[in-house]
Amino acid sequence: MDMTDNIIEISDLVKIYPTFNRSSIKDFFIKKQPVKGGDSEQTLQFYRKIALDLQSLNIVRGSKFGVLGHNGSGKSTLLALMLGILKPDQGSIKVNGRPVGLLEMGSGFHPELSGTENVILYLSILGVSISDARALLPNIVTFCELGKAMSSPLRTYSSGMVIRLAFSVLCHVPTDIFLVDEVLAVGDYSFQVKCMDFMAKFSSGGGTIVFVSQDPSTLLNMCDTGLCLHEGKAKASGSMNEVVEIYINAMEKIKKDAGT
């Protein structure tokens, strides 16, 4: 493994999502006509939306890094790129270690399988052998505290129970980087505290955490450095205190402008 100071290095990264403007694919191929109104922006046309455009970003090994921004700012896209689920359309992202991530509730699970079966499935997707997965199972069951529900199909679980199971699996997989989206907010308070305790121990042991949230107070408590995203671009980066201050000022300005 590359033991550089930077565990994640981003350079001139662009991620684009192809889409259609104000229409479906069916509309585009069958109708091929403007939407009523005649405005050029309302015509049925294919275009490429830039979801993320970052010139440069380095995350130091062992740091607690927060990503702050409103809905649609590119936070989850950035985590998916770090995890390797997505690939950049331009530029590069280099991850000098093994990442695991909790990005979307229920990803890696099957609704008809039991909690126990889903643990084995999820671990196998993460590259853990069946024998090692079975050895890890008792500790995962203890951590998630789901008891008899582990024998029930996942479709009977609440959203909080699904998060418990997913997080508990990831806690027992060897990793260098822990990527966490704001899905943890779905869990109950006691389990959130348990998750935070785990991440604190993981960080103190030299692990790197990248935590995404829309809540400035959460990131102030969790992270030392961070990034504020707005419409896919970096609005601020550096110490978490400075990033949060810039974010709050920007949100207040948007709210003020909307009221005028």
Side-chain angles (χ1 to χ4, degrees):
M1 183 180 68
D2 189 342
M3 292 300 293
T4 61
D5 289 338
N6 296 323
I7 197 164
I8 297 176
E9 300 174 334
I10 289 175
S11 178
D12 300 321
L13 184 149
V14 175
K15 181 60 189 176
I16 299 170
Y17 292 137
T19 186
F20 287 85
N21 185 31
R22 296 179 64 92
S23 65
S24 66
I25 295 178
K26 179 180 177 181
D27 290 331
F28 181 78
F29 285 107
I30 295 178
K31 297 180 181 179
K32 292 185 178 179
Q33 61 184 6
V35 178
K36 288 183 179 181
D39 192 290
S40 60
E41 292 185 358
Q42 292 181 311
T43 58
L44 304 182
Q45 56 182 324
F46 176 79
Y47 73 105
R48 290 159 63 83
K49 178 184 177 182
I50 297 178
L52 203 60
D53 184 359
L54 291 179
Q55 293 183 353
S56 177
L57 176 67
N58 294 323
I59 298 179
V60 177
R61 188 178 300 277
S63 62
K64 293 174 288 186
F65 190 89
V67 183
L68 182 62
H70 55 73
N71 287 333
S73 61
K75 305 187 304 299
S76 295
T77 296
L78 178 58
L79 286 198
L81 286 160
M82 291 177 178
L83 194 56
I85 295 174
L86 298 177
K87 300 297 181 184
D89 293 289
Q90 298 174 29
S92 65
I93 176 168
K94 184 178 181 182
V95 180
N96 301 310
R98 182 185 180 186
V100 296
L102 185 60
L103 306 187
E104 189 174 318
M105 188 168 61
S107 59
F109 288 157
H110 192 289
E112 296 302 324
L113 297 180
S114 69
T116 298
E117 292 167 335
N118 268 298
V119 168
I120 303 298
L121 172 65
Y122 199 2
L123 287 171
S124 66
I125 291 173
L126 294 171
V128 179
S129 68
I130 296 298
S131 59
D132 287 344
R134 293 190 183 280
L136 289 171
L137 182 60
N139 290 334
I140 293 172
V141 172
T142 299
F143 190 94
C144 69
E145 301 174 352
L146 291 177
K148 294 180 179 179
M150 291 297 294
S151 60
S152 300
L154 195 80
R155 58 180 167 76
T156 65
Y157 284 25
S158 67
S159 55
M161 292 168 71
V162 174
I163 291 300
R164 278 176 174 264
L165 193 62
F167 193 91
S168 300
V169 171
L170 295 180
C171 287
H172 292 82
V173 177
T175 184
D176 304 299
I177 314 163
F178 208 88
L179 309 176
V180 188
D181 207 337
E182 50 201 340
V183 290
L184 279 183
V186 177
D188 59 50
Y189 176 74
S190 63
F191 193 72
Q192 286 182 33
V193 171
K194 194 171 189 176
C195 294
M196 295 303 180
D197 287 343
F198 164 80
M199 287 190 283
K201 292 177 182 177
F202 176 76
S203 177
S204 64
T208 305
I209 295 173
V210 179
F211 197 106
V212 158
S213 180
Q214 294 187 68
D215 180 13
S217 61
T218 298
L219 293 182
L220 281 173
N221 290 330
M222 275 292 302
C223 305
D224 304 317
T225 57
L227 167 75
C228 176
L229 285 174
H230 179 68
E231 296 182 350
K233 295 187 177 183
K235 193 169 186 66
S237 63
S239 75
M240 202 70 246
N241 286 329
E242 293 174 353
V243 169
V244 165
E245 183 178 358
I246 291 172
Y247 173 77
I248 291 175
N249 290 338
M251 291 300 101
E252 288 178 348
K253 184 177 185 305
I254 291 173
K255 184 178 179 180
K256 182 179 179 181
D257 292 345
T260 58

